[in-house]
Amino acid sequence: MKFSLQINEGPYQHQASDTAYFFAKAALEQGHSIFRVFFYHDGVNNASRLTTPPQDDRHIVNRWAALAEQYELDLVVCVAAAQRRGVVDEGEASRNKKDATNIHPRFRISGLGQLVEAAIQADRLVVFGD
């Protein structure tokens, strides 16, 4: 089965990102595929490379990045939600005259069309969070 995932909650405020990660990992290990993981609303905070949890805590951003590396996952961050929350790549920094970026390199910023495509291409779109 081919899945797409939508994550609506931040990495440390809600269980949604952890649950989505473990769902994705289990699905991939069972031979299923994931077309795209789309981070929306506060979920865009899962893409910040500046996240630095304590040493004895899980590093959710790095978990997503490692899973994406291992399985060549497409991790997409909603551009409008990212702009509202200060998640910025080089293109957005340049366009909005910002002096820094903070998106992890395994993630990319794009629009809602990527979510629509993910829903169309997958057998199931699974949404995590409110």
Side-chain angles (χ1 to χ4, degrees):
M1 182 166 291
K2 187 185 331 177
F3 293 99
S4 285
L5 309 180
Q6 177 182 332
I7 301 165
N8 296 333
E9 303 292 343
Y12 296 100
Q13 300 87 353
H14 197 278
Q15 188 64 31
S17 184
D18 284 312
T19 303
Y21 168 80
F22 286 116
F23 175 89
K25 188 172 187 281
L28 292 164
E29 288 171 352
Q30 291 297 312
H32 300 287
S33 63
I34 296 179
F35 178 76
R36 178 169 295 136
V37 182
F38 191 85
F39 296 88
Y40 196 36
H41 301 300
D42 285 342
V44 302
N45 290 315
N46 285 281
S48 175
R49 67 180 173 80
L50 300 180
T51 302
T52 310
Q55 288 181 336
D56 62 344
D57 197 0
R58 70 220 186 280
H59 198 304
I60 296 173
V61 178
N62 286 352
R63 277 185 181 172
W64 278 114
L67 196 65
E69 183 76 28
Q70 181 179 359
Y71 290 98
E72 297 182 24
L73 297 180
D74 187 20
L75 304 180
V76 178
V77 176
C78 174
V79 63
Q83 287 176 340
R84 288 184 188 106
R85 291 161 180 86
V87 177
V88 180
D89 66 5
E90 287 186 24
E92 291 304 310
S94 175
R95 228 179 333 278
N96 293 293
K97 299 181 174 82
K98 301 293 181 186
D99 62 357
T101 66
N102 65 337
I103 193 167
H104 190 286
R106 287 299 307 176
F107 293 76
R108 66 185 181 94
I109 293 179
S110 194
L112 279 175
Q114 298 293 307
L115 177 58
V116 173
E117 180 187 34
I120 291 169
Q121 294 296 321
D123 298 313
R124 299 280 186 274
L125 172 65
V126 184
V127 179
F128 296 88
D130 298 329

